[in-house]
Amino acid sequence: MDRLIVEKSPPLNGIINISGSKNAVLPIMAASILSSGEVKLEEIPRLEDVLVMEQTINAIGLEVEEEGNNLYIKSTNNIKCEAPYELVRRMRASFLVMGPILSRKGRVKIALPGGCNIGTRPVDLHLKGFSALGADIEMGHGFVEASAFRLSGSKVYLDFPSVGATENIMMAATLAKGITIIENAAEEPEIVDLANFLNEMGARVIGAGTDCIRIEGVEELKGTSHTVIPDRIEAGTYMIAAAMTGGRVTIRNVEIEHLRPIIAKLTEAGVIITINENEIVIDGSNGIRHVDVKTLPYPGFPTDLQPQMMSMLSVAEGTSIIIETVFENRFQHVPELKRMGADIKIEGRSAVVQGVDSLTGAEVRATDLRAGASLVLAGLVAEGRTEVIEVQHIQRGYVDMKGKLERVGAKIR
Ligand code: EPU
């Protein structure tokens, strides 16, 4: 599949089931490197990025077996200290194997991830953390090497609450000697899921979900079985889709607490939301009003829902301001939305979105995962036919987006 064809659809109606979280499972798979036993992961989303991480940890020396939505990962006596460039190049999150390898083997060599479509995304904070834990860091041409006979606990202050740096340092600290404290840590639910997984393997991590995480190093981590949390960004994407088509959709298998920022913004925009235990009903029949959105680290509004929100606000009543504070270049969907008739002006990190009566279908390009999702959503309300090309970006992060939307009435093929 290289393109998705979306036609103006009726208000979406029905039930959408949410899959396991991509951004939770990737660090958890990397953390399996730390275990001397067997790990069973449940509710794995079958995605391109998950496959790349499977190949990465397999190349490092772990045995990986799939069975339905479960993944079995077994440690071997042959864990390598090097992650292949080919795999790290394909997915930035592969860099998350650095902390676990360094901690388990005392040495690691890994390719530096390049820039990506949403920004330069450096790894300086990851390296600052490893260095604070006593690792010698050496930068080569396109790779980084780190070594330490055994890491030792320390205090690490992050200049920005980076999700990846918090995860990488937290994983490295689990087998370090003594106590590590990460200050100004990221508080995302995916960090909490990783900490829970590490603790189930025998680690001593407390404070995950706050800005201060304390890790007491242990000698060894054992095997465990863990169910991955539901994907809050996938849920948010379909909540927005339901709202902007004026539909009524039940989103199942969600963790309501993780959705608070998006619930708050959709409610402000006039969407009627009913919350049940692990499902949420979105009713967009009252229409959508303008709202201002500023992306921030959790519990702020997620940058991973900013493009989808922009699609919705493009057809809302009134003028909305969207400020992107997390990534410096996450407005690549804007020229594509404008080609569909959206009225959006960019000024630095701010976008002024003047709602229009309707969009018009066009051929548009998915430049990255969430930008791609936002264009599919725009296609649902645009007059005529929208062709989204380069949909491999969407397949990296959404399990069967076509099928899930089709089952609630979307015209998509
Ligand atoms: N940053 C630095 N130095 C570092 C690390 C990060 O300056 O050493 C900067 C980045 O350049 C960026 C900001 O900090 O401007 C945030 O980056 P962060 O490290 O928090 O992001 P990440 O760990 O690389 C994860 C998700 C992203 C999500 C961000 C923010 C995974 C695999 N990826 O990335 O997800 O946007 O957190 O919430 O967990 C997506 O799913 O579409 C996606 C891009």
Side-chain angles (χ1 to χ4, degrees):
M1 183 163 83
D2 67 346
R3 62 187 59 211
L4 276 169
I5 297 167
V6 190
E7 269 165 288
K8 187 173 166 71
S9 303
L12 301 184
N13 193 293
I15 297 170
I16 296 181
N17 283 306
I18 297 306
S19 302
S21 161
K22 165 179 89 76
N23 289 348
V25 79
L26 295 175
I28 286 175
M29 289 169 74
S32 304
I33 296 170
L34 293 161
S35 166
S36 331
E38 187 181 33
V39 165
K40 177 185 178 191
L41 301 178
E42 297 181 38
E43 293 296 330
I44 296 292
R46 292 258 154 252
L47 295 168
E48 205 46 47
D49 276 8
V50 173
L51 198 65
V52 176
M53 187 58 97
E54 270 182 58
Q55 290 165 353
T56 307
I57 59 175
N58 188 246
I60 288 162
L62 277 76
E63 283 171 16
V64 188
E65 238 178 80
E66 292 175 7
E67 195 191 274
N69 281 349
N70 296 340
L71 207 59
Y72 296 85
I73 304 173
K74 214 193 276 176
S75 183
T76 64
N77 290 330
N78 187 24
I79 305 283
K80 301 190 182 65
C81 297
E82 211 167 311
Y85 168 69
E86 179 47 31
L87 294 165
V88 179
R89 188 184 61 77
R90 275 173 63 193
M91 183 181 71
R92 199 189 140 78
S94 308
F95 197 72
L96 292 172
V97 300
M98 185 171 182
I101 299 178
L102 174 63
S103 197
R104 178 123 189 235
K105 301 291 290 184
R107 200 164 64 77
V108 61
K109 179 175 177 185
I110 186 166
L112 283 166
C116 70
N117 285 348
I118 56 177
T120 48
R121 298 176 87 182
V123 288
D124 55 315
L125 299 173
H126 301 233
L127 302 183
K128 179 180 165 184
F130 299 144
S131 182
L133 297 182
D136 285 325
I137 311 276
E138 253 184 71
M139 305 291 273
H141 287 295
F143 66 86
V144 55
E145 260 184 295
S147 58
F149 175 65
R150 185 177 176 193
L151 295 173
S152 52
S154 177
K155 215 174 221 188
V156 182
Y157 174 82
L158 296 180
D159 302 303
F160 181 88
S162 152
V163 173
T166 303
E167 292 168 342
N168 230 339
I169 298 163
M170 190 162 87
M171 292 189 280
T174 54
L175 295 179
K177 189 167 181 292
I179 291 169
T180 298
I181 296 189
I182 309 176
E183 291 176 331
N184 199 27
E187 300 174 35
E188 269 70 2
E190 293 76 19
I191 307 271
V192 178
D193 205 30
L194 174 62
N196 288 341
F197 173 69
L198 291 168
N199 287 339
E200 285 153 18
M201 293 198 295
R204 297 199 188 125
V205 181
I206 55 174
T210 74
D211 64 359
C212 184
I213 303 178
R214 180 183 189 275
I215 306 117
E216 187 183 339
V218 297
E219 291 297 323
E220 195 185 25
L221 295 181
K222 55 187 189 334
T224 189
S225 160
H226 182 82
T227 304
V228 178
I229 55 169
D231 197 312
R232 66 193 167 98
I233 304 302
E234 189 198 18
T237 301
Y238 295 128
M239 287 164 70
I240 295 172
M244 68 193 280
T245 59
R248 187 184 160 86
V249 175
T250 301
I251 317 272
R252 280 219 175 120
N253 183 33
V254 294
E255 188 59 65
I256 301 294
E257 217 31 59
H258 301 168
L259 298 174
R260 293 284 169 210
I262 175 78
I263 292 173
K265 277 295 150 188
L266 287 181
T267 306
E268 202 181 318
V271 180
I272 304 158
I273 298 185
T274 315
I275 295 172
N276 299 321
E277 201 180 326
N278 64 349
E279 64 175 40
I280 185 161
V281 185
I282 304 298
D283 180 346
S285 58
N286 274 356
I288 308 291
R289 285 193 297 272
H290 62 99
V291 287
D292 293 341
V293 177
K294 184 175 186 177
T295 67
L296 284 168
Y298 190 85
F301 190 89
T303 172
D304 290 343
L305 286 175
Q306 177 262 108
Q308 302 89 313
M309 198 69 176
M310 193 178 295
S311 286
M312 182 184 91
L313 295 174
S314 296
V315 288
E317 170 267 309
T319 307
S320 308
I321 312 275
I322 298 182
I323 305 175
E324 171 59 57
T325 76
V326 179
F327 289 109
E328 75 266 29
N329 189 26
R330 210 173 199 175
F331 280 146
Q332 295 213 29
H333 44 288
V334 172
E336 306 299 309
L337 287 173
K338 283 173 82 164
R339 297 182 60 235
M340 298 175 72
D343 182 351
I344 305 170
K345 288 186 189 67
I346 300 285
E347 183 60 52
R349 290 188 166 206
S350 305
V352 180
V353 186
Q354 171 70 57
V356 294
D357 288 341
S358 68
L359 298 174
T360 315
E363 180 171 303
V364 285
R365 190 166 71 91
T367 49
D368 65 82
L369 167 59
R370 309 303 173 186
S374 77
L375 298 173
V376 171
L377 265 47
L380 295 174
V381 296
E383 297 299 333
R385 169 187 160 117
T386 299
E387 241 178 277
V388 184
I389 61 167
E390 296 188 21
V391 294
Q392 72 275 11
H393 288 294
I394 299 178
Q395 285 166 320
R396 293 181 61 168
Y398 288 91
V399 176
D400 189 23
M401 178 181 254
K402 179 186 106 40
K404 289 189 185 190
L405 283 173
E406 214 168 24
R407 285 190 285 279
V408 290
K411 291 189 184 162
I412 179 168
R413 63 203 154 84

